[in-house]
Amino acid sequence: ELYKELLKRGVKMVISTIRDVDDDRLLIKTTKSVDEGIITMVVSNHVDEALELYDHGADYVIMPDYISAHHA
């Protein structure tokens, strides 16, 4: 309930660095239920999880392990 109240106060973006797909799905669902326009950005460890999060409404999914491996 606290989270929903915070979202109602004009939040424009929610960023989660939790690498748990279940928690992120709940975060996305709750955020979008309050306001579809709130941008949701989450982190994923795997491509299949990233695609799942996009399917659940995430606006951006960052994959830091993939990005750092690519640069290395």
Side-chain angles (χ1 to χ4, degrees), residues 16-29 32 40-64:
S16 170
T17 58
I18 300 168
R19 293 187 185 202
D20 183 275
V21 71
D22 295 326
D23 289 342
D24 284 334
R25 276 195 316 258
L26 180 60
L27 176 89
I28 294 164
K29 179 181 176 183
K32 297 298 182 177
T40 55
M41 183 181 297
V42 294
V43 177
S44 176
N45 294 321
H46 306 285
V47 173
D48 57 329
E49 288 179 357
L51 294 173
E52 179 183 346
L53 291 168
Y54 278 123
D55 287 342
H56 278 84
D59 295 296
Y60 300 99
V61 180
I62 298 174
M63 298 182 62

Side-chain angles (χ1 to χ4, degrees), residues 1-14:
E1 291 302 314
L2 175 63
Y3 180 68
K4 284 186 177 183
E5 285 302 314
L6 290 173
L7 289 175
K8 291 177 184 176
R9 296 179 185 233
V11 171
K12 295 181 179 163
M13 180 183 290
V14 173

